[in-house]
């Protein structure tokens, strides 16, 4: 009997706790996108991308020149010289591939450096808004992971106010 009474009290208590929870949702990607820091980060990444592309184009131009020179002079070259030229061209191809990998790594590293503080700030703002408004759960609906849920409040307008964005 004691066990049944205790079980009933536990179930009743947990129901009361769950009834007090408040759920909200926000499109976190959209929130990040409206932050002024995101535009600055995007501009910085675009500048880096343009610089890396320009350097890569120089490598491609050098490769193209070597291939064109080889094509026009290969009939007059000795077999040993052809082999040297072919190995030079292959080395240029390898350099282009290596540069491409290095530039992608540089872009990823820079993107992480720029986005980490933005994400941290966004999470801090969202947590502050959720605490102010009494939300115990906030769902990110930017990935369409939640297919069906109970009615929840959209926190985007409150977050915009907290960030000073209209």
């Amino acid at each position: 009997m004691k066990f049944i009474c205790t079980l009933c009290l536990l179930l009743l208590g947990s129901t009361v706790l769950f009834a007090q929870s408040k759920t909200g949702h926000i499109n976190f990607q959209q929130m990040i996108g409206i932050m002024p820091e995101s535009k600055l980060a995007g501009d910085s990444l675009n500048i880096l991308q343009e610089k890396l592309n320009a350097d890569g184009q120089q490598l491609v131009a050098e490769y193209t020149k070597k291939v064109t020179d080889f094509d026009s002079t290969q009939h007059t070259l000795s077999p040993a010289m052809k082999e040297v030229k072919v190995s030079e061209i292959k080395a240029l191809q390898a350099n282009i591939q290596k540069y491409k990998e290095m530039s992608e790594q540089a872009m990823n590293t820079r993107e992480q450096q720029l986005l980490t503080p933005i994400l941290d700030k966004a999470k801090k703002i969202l947590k502050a808004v959720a605490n102010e408004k009494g939300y115990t759960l906030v769902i990110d609906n930017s990935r369409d992971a939640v297919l069906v849920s109970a009615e929840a409040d959209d926190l985007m307008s409150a977050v915009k106010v907290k960030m000073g964005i209209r």
Side-chain angles (χ1 to χ4, degrees):
M1 183 71 176
K2 244 182 176 180
F3 176 73
I4 293 175
C5 288
T6 305
L7 184 62
C8 288
L9 285 174
L10 284 175
L11 288 175
L12 182 63
S14 65
T15 305
V16 169
L17 288 176
F18 283 120
Q20 293 175 353
S21 69
K22 211 170 156 184
T23 302
H25 64 86
I26 192 163
N27 185 322
F28 196 67
Q29 295 299 320
Q30 183 182 6
M31 179 184 166
I32 298 295
I34 63 172
M35 294 175 70
E37 297 91 337
S38 293
K39 174 148 178 36
L40 294 174
D43 292 345
S44 178
L45 287 172
N46 287 338
I47 290 168
L48 178 60
Q49 183 70 52
E50 289 172 7
K51 168 104 175 73
L52 293 171
N53 285 343
D55 292 345
Q57 289 301 322
Q58 288 178 344
L59 291 173
V60 170
E62 182 182 346
Y63 169 79
T64 304
K65 184 180 182 310
K66 287 274 187 184
V67 169
T68 304
D69 289 347
F70 177 74
D71 285 344
S72 63
T73 60
Q74 71 176 328
H75 306 308
T76 61
L77 299 174
S78 67
M81 193 58 162
K82 280 184 183 179
E83 192 174 317
V84 168
K85 295 289 185 182
V86 168
S87 66
E88 286 177 3
I89 290 171
K90 286 182 180 179
L92 287 173
Q93 284 176 328
N95 286 344
I96 291 170
Q97 183 62 34
K98 184 177 178 181
Y99 180 78
K100 183 179 177 184
E101 291 168 4
M102 288 172 51
S103 64
E104 286 175 8
Q105 184 179 8
M107 282 295 294
N108 289 338
T109 300
R110 185 67 180 142
E111 184 177 32
Q112 286 302 314
Q113 288 172 344
L114 292 171
L115 289 182
T116 298
I118 295 170
L119 290 173
D120 291 345
K121 180 179 179 183
K123 288 176 186 176
K124 184 178 176 183
I125 291 170
L126 184 56
K127 188 173 184 176
V129 168
N131 286 338
E132 288 172 9
K133 304 244 182 226
Y135 289 92
T136 56
L137 177 67
V138 178
I139 299 170
D140 177 9
N141 64 358
S142 63
R143 293 185 179 96
D144 291 332
V146 179
L147 300 176
V148 177
S149 71
E151 189 65 31
D153 297 328
D154 187 0
L155 299 179
M156 185 61 77
S157 59
V159 166
K160 284 181 179 179
V161 168
K162 185 79 168 177
M163 289 190 297
I165 297 174
R166 292 181 182 211

